[in-house]
Amino acid sequence: GAVVSQHPSWVICKSGTSVKIECRSLDFQATTMFWYRQFPKQSLMLMATSNEGSKATYEQGVEKDKFLINHASLTLSTLTVTSAHPEDSSFYICSARDNGGDYNEQFFGPGTRLTVL
Amino acid sequence: GQNIDQPTEMTATEGAIVQINCTYQTSGFNGLFWYQQHAGEAPTFLSYNVLDGLEEKGRFSSFLSRSKGYSYLLLKELQMKDSASYLCAVSDSNYQLIWGAGTKLIIKP
């Protein structure tokens, strides 16, 4: 089956620093990847749609200058949380759409738990 | 607007059957997905329906009625490990997933 990896799985950083999260599709090519954020006991919130070779599309209310997304290849997208603050602490999950799959479904990475002190 | 509705929480007994309903109103329809999410983990794909009817996959089945904007996920022979949140998501006309808030399923011995 399609596998998506995410690195790191957890990170603790000081307020004001930047954190980069990588999302890789391991056994398929993904022209489209998605970045989600999930706060405790809440549903997934789509932050942005990342398209290979073009600019990401951000959801309303998500600051593009704070959450930098780069999708430079068909297997890698990165999310950089710049100048992180405690309110950015959350569970960040990426997913990749397998265009060659039977259902065009999204496969999720294991998530990155970010804690900003 | 686009809307996905599913119950917030359900409780069932080990070995029993439970049905989790999902109703939707979206701009366009390119299929409905069910995902399972255990606490602290990412969602995993369970099923996909694009045509009306029932799709069976082991202990799990998913049903769709496009005319009613309705789907359900049926879980049989419940096991304790089935305790999780179940997310309903609809692929709209742009193939973007619109997510429900999830149904937390609690299994009791």
Side-chain angles (χ1 to χ4, degrees), chain A:
Chain A
V3 179
V4 176
S5 71
Q6 209 172 319
H7 178 80
S9 55
W10 59 269
V11 58
I12 301 173
C13 69
K14 292 182 179 180
S15 185
T17 60
S18 294
V19 175
K20 179 187 281 189
I21 303 170
E22 292 186 350
C23 178
R24 295 181 185 271
S25 56
L26 298 186
D27 51 1
F28 66 99
Q29 293 184 329
T31 53
T32 306
M33 291 184 173
F34 303 87
W35 287 97
Y36 294 87
R37 181 166 54 182
Q38 188 174 37
F39 292 104
K41 299 184 179 180
Q42 295 187 22
S43 186
L44 294 171
M45 291 177 53
L46 179 65
M47 298 176 66
T49 301
S50 170
N51 296 297
E52 186 267 337
S54 64
K55 291 183 179 180
T57 303
Y58 289 81
E59 295 300 300
Q60 193 171 10
V62 178
E63 300 175 55
K64 62 178 68 175
D65 294 331
K66 181 171 181 62
F67 299 99
L68 302 179
I69 291 173
N70 184 282
H71 192 159
S73 78
L74 287 172
T75 59
L76 173 65
S77 176
T78 61
L79 169 69
T80 301
V81 183
T82 61
S83 187
H85 291 286
E87 57 266 29
D88 298 323
S89 298
S90 186
F91 191 44
Y92 291 85
I93 311 172
C94 75
S95 71
R97 180 187 289 155
D98 183 1
N99 294 330
D102 292 338
Y103 309 125
N104 213 30
E105 67 268 39
Q106 293 182 25
F107 292 92
F108 286 84
T112 297
R113 191 162 300 282
L114 171 64
T115 302
V116 184
L117 302 177

